[in-house]
Amino acid sequence: MSVQISASDVNKLRQQTGAGMMDCKKALVEANGDFEAAVDYLRKKGAKVAASRQDRDSNEGVIIAKASADGKSGIVVEVNCETDFVAKNADFVAFAESVADLALANNPATLEDLKALEIGGVKIADALIDQTGKIGEKIDVSKYESVTAEKVVAYIHGNYRLGVLVGLSADVAGADDAGKDVAMQIAAMNPVAIDKDGVDSKTIERELEIAKDQIRAEGKPEEMVEKIAAGKLNKFYKDSTLLNQEFVKDSSKNIAQFLDSVAKGLTVTAFKRVQLGA
């Protein structure tokens, strides 16, 4: 004899799992009214949905950047979905916020370590499968970065489209505002490193080769190529390394000079910039 499934039972399971009404009713029927078995059924259905969507692109989503209460650490995560419609859904954003909170509280070393943490008694890796089944789109955490410093400032730009962490060398008066200004600079100008010492050798070699090819194409004599290329490399450092960039809010200073005007010797010790889908 089949078990009668009431509307209140279906609603209770829906509230518990977030799955659709028809999915909840089917789960309860399949589980013969057993709530635990129905939850398992929905989770298995979610896993099946997730597996069938692994080849789908999930380039939409949100970037969440947060700093700890003491300002000594910060994290930024990218949580993805397939459509902008889901990215704007309050439940999806809340899920992303909970992942970010967990990352901030535990400071995992890698993205894999983050996915191994538990959220509501379930590993994030499994919760992503649950979310995929619930929402019907591929859901994933694709990026995770962290910064520790004497002062960390977090900034989210463009309705969760881009997140920045800035680590400053000291927690001084005005550090929060200065950190936000520097974070906005990073968001806008996308520097490759803090200063020229942080630029990797491969990038330097590439920039020099591009410069030399341009100079030779202009017909300059070979003996001048190295000298002119060195000048172009210095221009690259000025344009592309944070401390040497012209401050967008005051073109009379670079970022190093701006920070020094806030507090003598104040500088950037680390930064991370995560852009949605990049």
Side-chain angles (χ1 to χ4, degrees), residues 85-277:
F85 177 77
V86 168
K88 292 176 178 175
N89 179 276
D91 289 340
F92 175 78
V93 175
F95 174 73
E97 290 274 6
S98 65
V99 171
D101 287 339
L102 202 61
L104 188 63
N106 292 272
N107 195 27
T110 66
L111 177 59
E112 289 70 29
D113 292 335
L114 171 59
K115 288 184 177 182
L117 295 175
E118 290 193 354
I119 184 167
V122 178
K123 286 184 178 179
I124 287 177
D126 293 328
L128 291 168
I129 294 173
D130 291 347
Q131 289 291 314
T132 296
K134 193 184 298 182
I135 293 170
E137 290 192 4
K138 181 180 176 183
I139 309 297
D140 195 16
V141 181
S142 61
K143 296 192 190 80
Y144 160 67
E145 299 286 355
S146 63
V147 164
T148 57
E150 287 302 309
K151 177 66 178 179
V152 177
V153 176
Y155 170 69
I156 299 173
H157 178 76
N159 194 27
Y160 299 109
R161 306 294 289 185
L162 190 155
V164 176
L165 298 174
V166 179
L168 298 176
S169 58
D171 186 3
V172 295
D176 283 299
D177 289 339
K180 184 177 179 183
D181 282 339
V182 173
M184 292 171 70
Q185 173 92 17
I186 294 165
M189 303 304 293
N190 195 15
V192 300
I194 294 173
D195 57 27
K196 66 179 185 177
D197 293 334
V199 181
D200 66 89
S201 58
K202 191 176 288 187
T203 300
I204 293 171
E205 288 168 16
R206 185 174 71 248
E207 290 299 321
L208 280 172
E209 284 307 310
I210 291 169
K212 288 174 185 178
D213 287 346
Q214 289 173 340
I215 295 159
R216 290 184 180 114
E218 291 168 4
K220 296 288 194 296
E222 193 63 31
E223 62 269 21
M224 293 179 64
V225 170
E226 291 292 337
K227 184 176 181 181
I228 298 173
K232 284 182 176 287
L233 184 62
N234 284 331
K235 176 71 163 55
F236 168 77
Y237 289 144
K238 182 176 183 295
D239 292 341
S240 302
T241 60
L242 178 61
L243 293 178
N244 297 298
Q245 283 181 342
E246 185 179 283
F247 184 28
V248 292
K249 292 181 73 174
D250 182 354
S251 60
S252 70
K253 300 174 182 176
N254 63 22
I255 292 296
Q257 291 165 336
F258 161 64
L259 289 172
D260 203 55
S261 72
V262 174
K264 193 68 177 172
L266 184 64
T267 191
V268 175
T269 58
F271 76 85
K272 298 293 182 182
R273 180 184 186 274
V274 176
Q275 184 169 355
L276 188 65

